């Protein structure tokens, strides 16, 4: 259920992370174009491996009240895992406008684990505001979503190491 973390975390109560990464490169970036038509409901990005864990972004159109529609964004780390693990990460999430400018970039820190693997916002951006052609979000019927992930620490995460065994024969 993508909404479980949104109950305890809201844009107003979530403390922004002090941005000490001014020149730091993210551990990974999830960036994709999303086609928006009248029938759009949900979309999950392709999984991206970052620091040994699969990450993706879940997007949906939320109706929080009649005639109040919003773009909802969630970041998911290692969904549906039953093993014990955790990952503390700082996340920058937002929209890339048609002119390349980042918009509505939220920065926050979160501790993902096997019990709580997602965090996000039901009311990230008003749907009507985003669809307004003068706001410059939509290009060719698509919006660009971007999540920049800065992994700070992981526990219980294994990375695959390939070992090759060779035998040298002397004549």
């Amino acid at each position: 259920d993508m909404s479980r973390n949104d109950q305890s975390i809201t844009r107003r109560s979530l403390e922004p992370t002090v941005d000490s990464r001014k020149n730091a490169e993210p551990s990974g970036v999830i960036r994709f174009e999303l086609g928006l038509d009248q029938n759009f409901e949900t979309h999950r990005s392709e999984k991206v491996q970052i620091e040994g864990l699969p990450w993706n972004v879940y997007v949906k159109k939320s109706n929080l009240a009649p005639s109040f529609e919003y773009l909802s964004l969630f970041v998911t780390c290692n969904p549906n895992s039953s093993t014990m693990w955790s990952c503390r990460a700082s996340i920058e999430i937002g929209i890339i406008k048609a002119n390349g400018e980042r918009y509505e970039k939220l920065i926050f820190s979160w501790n993902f684990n096997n019990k709580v693997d997602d965090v996000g916002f039901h009311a990230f951006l008003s749907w009507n505001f985003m669809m307004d052609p003068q706001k410059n979000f939509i290009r060719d019927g698509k919006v660009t979503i971007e999540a920049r992930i800065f992994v700070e620490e992981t526990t219980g995460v294994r990375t695959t190491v390939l070992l090759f065994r060779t035998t040298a024969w002397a004549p």
Side-chain angles (χ1 to χ4, degrees):
D1 178 13
M2 288 309 224
S3 65
R4 68 179 176 267
N5 291 335
D6 197 58
Q7 300 303 315
S8 61
I9 304 236
T10 65
R11 183 187 319 240
R12 290 171 199 82
S13 68
L14 193 65
E15 291 297 320
T17 301
V18 175
D19 195 1
S20 59
R21 306 173 312 274
K22 295 242 186 255
N23 296 317
E25 287 296 316
S27 305
V29 176
I30 301 170
R31 185 176 182 165
F32 59 98
E33 286 188 337
L34 181 62
L36 301 174
D37 60 25
Q38 292 179 352
N39 299 322
F40 176 81
E41 291 183 21
T42 65
H43 177 79
R44 187 177 302 275
S45 72
E46 295 290 323
K47 289 182 182 175
V48 174
Q49 288 290 333
I50 301 171
E51 299 292 330
L53 291 166
W55 295 77
N56 64 12
V57 174
Y58 178 73
V59 181
K60 72 178 187 174
K61 184 177 184 180
S62 295
N63 296 339
L64 300 181
S67 74
F68 288 103
E69 296 176 321
Y70 291 90
L71 175 72
S72 301
L73 295 179
F74 301 89
V75 176
T76 304
C77 176
N78 205 23
N80 304 320
S81 173
S82 60
T83 59
M84 297 290 289
W85 62 274
S86 68
C87 175
R88 188 176 66 240
S90 291
I91 310 290
E92 297 178 3
I93 192 163
I95 297 173
I96 307 299
K97 294 177 82 169
N99 64 4
E101 172 189 343
R102 283 196 180 111
Y103 179 83
E104 195 67 21
K105 177 178 76 171
L106 296 177
I107 303 171
F108 57 93
S109 223
W110 189 250
N111 190 30
F112 298 89
N113 57 56
N114 61 310
K115 295 184 189 315
V116 183
D117 62 7
D118 66 341
V119 65
F121 302 93
H122 276 288
F124 186 80
L125 186 63
S126 161
W127 193 266
N128 288 338
F129 183 80
M130 180 183 68
M131 297 302 284
D132 182 344
Q134 294 185 355
K135 303 298 183 204
N136 202 25
F137 289 108
I138 310 299
R139 181 185 328 174
D140 300 327
K142 298 178 182 177
V143 64
T144 302
I145 308 292
E146 181 180 78
R148 297 165 50 91
I149 298 161
F150 298 81
V151 173
E152 297 164 3
E153 180 181 15
T154 60
T155 57
V157 177
R158 296 181 189 194
T159 56
T160 304
V161 177
L162 298 176
L163 300 175
F164 296 95
R165 184 176 182 178
T166 60
T167 305
W169 294 96

